[in-house]
């Protein structure tokens, strides 16, 4: 009974939402011309990257902080356990993984570099890096991570810390995350490089820390 | 009908579908699935509605890119909590608080 | 009806079908696989919305990493319940 009521309510909600969209007037604010007009001064030539790291850099900074916090919470929640190497996959699969991972690293580097002027950037490069680490783990070539050591901790935090350092340095000039046009390209490249490394480790960490609690168990 | 509006309407169907799934399902993994479908619906609405004239708009696209990464972090945290709950109590459902 | 509109409608139907199936499927492993299918179809939708950036992220994170996390959790929880049954 309750189930049917919920499903009916959801159906009504969907219909109202859909019909409201069909009636909607065109948006009074259009940000596209503003984005295009300031692209020259943003330091990159791809509008999405410009929005992510320049116009709305604040959002991205907080997003990396959220990701870091989520990983802290996961580390706090999962129990301490002996981490074991997962059962090794078939040799053919391992060989394929060994071949694929260098190619994935090249892809990640390309995506990072391409982000300045075409689709790509730190997020995509970071997720390819994370996928490479997860692949190594699943084929038994990389053990699940125990509690992170000093080097891993610095790697996980690097993106956030570099971004925060740049933001703080710019704050001294009076504005949060307002890059001087001459320096914008270089600063964004530095931030993106650190972000790629950290996002790759963070996203892989979501998997590698979580999957360790069943390994070694019979 | 423009592509943007069509996919915004798909999002408008997906979001309530996810809400209903979240409320009706008992199994926690299924609830996490429903939560992800809700998120995807919201992303489609955000980008599709901004591109009703089929001109790409980088601002909502960048917002959604941020949203996808935050959604995976939330999913991983929810899965960690689910696994912990299971390890401690052996249950995969939240206990009923009120009996109506 | 143009080919582009036909493709969009087909894609929209596929998205709604896979979402519905992943919510209502009786088997959990099937539900998770259908969710991954949904993520890959959504990647196509982002390409149609001329948002290749989101498409790349959706394929790698939305379908790939979320799918891997869900399947891994499914395997861990299933292992646990098998151990309980055998005990």
């Amino acid at each position: 009974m309750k189930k049917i009521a919920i499903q009916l309510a959801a159906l009504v909600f969907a219909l109202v939402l859909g019909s409201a969209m069909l009636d909607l007037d065109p948006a009074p604010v259009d940000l596209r011309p503003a984005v295009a007009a300031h692209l020259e001064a943003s330091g990159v030539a791809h509008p999405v990257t410009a929005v992510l790291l320049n116009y709305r850099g604040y959002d991205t900074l907080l997003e990396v902080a959220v990701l870091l916090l989520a990983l802290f919470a996961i580390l706090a929640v999962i129990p301490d356990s002996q981490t074991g190497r997962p059962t090794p996959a078939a040799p053919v699969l391992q060989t394929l993984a060994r071949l694929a991972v260098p190619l994935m690293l090249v892809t990640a580097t390309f995506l990072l570099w391409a982000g300045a002027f075409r689709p790509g950037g730190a997020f995509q490069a970071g997720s390819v890096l994370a996928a490479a680490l997860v692949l190594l783990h699943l084929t038994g070539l990389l053990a699940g991570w125990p509690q992170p050591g000093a080097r891993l901790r610095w790697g996980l935090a690097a993106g956030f810390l570099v971004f925060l350092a740049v933001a703080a340095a710019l704050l001294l000039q009076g504005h949060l995350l307002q890059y001087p046009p001459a320096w914008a390209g270089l600063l964004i490249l530095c931030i993106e490089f650190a972000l790629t490394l950290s996002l790759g480790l963070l996203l892989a960490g979501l998997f590698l820390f979580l999957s360790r609690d069943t390994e070694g168990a019979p | 009908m423009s592509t943007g509006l069509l996919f915004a309407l798909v999002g408008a169907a997906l979001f309530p579908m996810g809400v209903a799934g979240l409320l009706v399902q008992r199994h926690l993994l299924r609830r996490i699935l429903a939560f992800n479908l809700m998120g995807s619906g919201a992303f489609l609405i955000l980008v599709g509605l901004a591109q009703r004239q089929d001109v790409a708009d980088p601002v909502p696209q960048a917002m959604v890119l941020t949203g996808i990464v935050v959604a995976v972090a939330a999913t991983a945290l929810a899965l960690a909590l689910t696994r912990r709950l299971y390890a401690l109590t052996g249950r995969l459902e939240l206990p009923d608080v009120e009996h109506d | 009806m143009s080919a582009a509109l036909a493709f969009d409608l087909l894609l929209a139907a596929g998205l709604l079908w896979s979402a519905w199936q992943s919510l209502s499927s009786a088997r959990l492993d099937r539900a998770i696989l259908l969710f991954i299918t949904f993520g890959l179809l959504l990647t196509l939708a982002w390409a149609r919305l001329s948002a290749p950036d989101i498409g790349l992220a959706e394929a790698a994170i939305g379908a790939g990493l979320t799918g891997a996390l869900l399947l891994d959790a499914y395997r861990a929880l299933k292992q646990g319940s098998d151990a309980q049954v055998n005990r």
Side-chain angles (χ1 to χ4, degrees):
Chain A
M1 193 63 222
K2 203 171 144 196
K3 237 178 179 172
I4 297 171
I6 289 173
Q7 279 164 346
L8 263 180
L11 187 66
V12 171
F13 179 42
L15 289 176
V16 171
L17 192 59
S19 57
M21 278 181 189
L22 289 173
D23 282 349
L24 206 61
D25 295 326
V29 185
D30 189 359
L31 291 172
R32 272 167 289 217
V35 169
H38 295 96
L39 204 54
E40 193 81 6
S42 74
V44 286
H46 183 51
V48 176
T49 309
V51 173
L52 269 177
L53 286 159
N54 197 329
Y55 309 147
R56 301 286 307 178
Y58 197 70
D59 288 338
T60 310
L61 175 62
L62 290 179
E63 179 214 347
V64 184
V66 165
L67 212 55
L68 207 55
L69 266 181
L71 198 75
F72 288 165
I74 288 174
L75 283 174
V77 163
I78 54 175
D80 278 324
S81 65
Q82 290 298 315
T83 166
R85 201 167 268 264
T87 26
V92 179
L93 213 53
Q94 287 199 336
T95 312
L96 280 178
R98 283 206 177 95
L99 285 176
V101 166
L103 292 178
M104 289 169 95
L105 291 183
V106 173
T107 311
T109 317
F110 169 75
L111 282 170
L112 172 63
W113 169 76
F117 52 90
R118 52 178 294 174
F123 289 96
Q124 290 86 349
S127 49
V128 171
L129 205 59
L133 287 171
V134 170
L135 186 66
L136 281 179
H137 175 68
L138 287 178
T139 49
L141 294 169
L142 178 73
W145 288 345
Q147 286 295 331
R151 260 163 57 199
L152 188 53
R153 284 183 204 189
W154 280 109
L156 289 168
F160 180 63
L161 292 178
V162 168
F163 210 155
L164 198 64
V166 171
L170 291 171
L171 196 59
L172 292 180
Q173 300 190 333
H175 297 286
L176 186 67
L177 281 174
Q178 201 173 77
Y179 311 112
W183 287 80
L186 187 64
L187 284 175
I188 287 179
L189 192 68
C190 286
I191 293 173
E192 276 207 301
F193 185 76
L195 269 186
T196 303
L197 184 71
S198 284
L199 280 172
L201 291 175
L202 281 168
L203 291 173
L206 296 181
F207 190 89
L208 291 178
F209 287 124
L210 259 185
S211 74
R212 72 175 190 191
D213 63 347
T214 48
E215 277 149 19
Chain B
M1 188 189 291
S2 68
T3 303
L5 189 58
L6 176 68
F7 284 112
L9 287 174
V10 172
L14 281 176
F15 186 84
M17 217 189 255
V19 175
L22 199 62
L23 293 174
V24 169
Q25 308 271 13
R26 307 285 307 158
H27 195 291
L28 282 172
L29 273 189
R30 286 180 186 273
R31 287 194 169 186
I32 294 171
L33 269 181
F35 164 80
N36 269 295
L37 287 178
M38 263 174 78
S40 300
F43 296 153
L44 273 176
I45 294 175
L46 194 56
V47 172
L49 214 50
Q51 296 183 178
R52 268 173 295 168
Q53 278 80 41
D54 279 343
V55 187
D57 189 341
V59 179
Q61 287 189 11
M63 300 290 111
V64 167
L65 201 52
T66 312
I68 288 176
V69 178
V70 173
V72 74
T75 305
L77 181 56
L79 286 172
L81 291 171
T82 304
R83 287 165 86 151
R84 189 70 179 142
L85 179 77
Y86 183 71
L88 290 178
T89 67
R91 270 201 312 243
L92 279 171
E93 292 171 1
L94 291 178
D96 267 328
V97 178
E98 81 237 280
H99 299 280
D100 49 330
Chain C
M1 190 161 71
S2 67
L5 184 62
F7 180 75
D8 284 351
L9 286 174
L10 205 63
L11 191 54
L15 278 171
L16 290 173
W17 179 82
S18 56
W20 178 257
Q21 285 295 311
S22 86
L23 280 178
S24 62
S25 167
R27 289 179 49 188
L28 192 54
D29 52 348
R30 191 163 177 272
I32 295 173
L33 288 180
L34 278 159
F35 178 75
I36 297 173
T37 313
F38 170 81
L40 293 174
L41 286 174
L42 196 56
T43 305
L44 285 181
W46 293 127
R48 283 294 299 148
L49 286 167
S50 47
D53 290 277
I54 312 180
L56 280 169
E58 180 75 44
I61 301 177
L65 192 63
T66 310
L69 280 168
L70 284 166
L71 281 177
D72 189 54
Y74 172 73
R75 180 188 57 93
L77 300 175
K78 193 163 179 287
Q79 256 176 20
S81 64
D82 284 353
Q84 268 184 351
V85 170
N86 294 336
R87 203 175 290 155

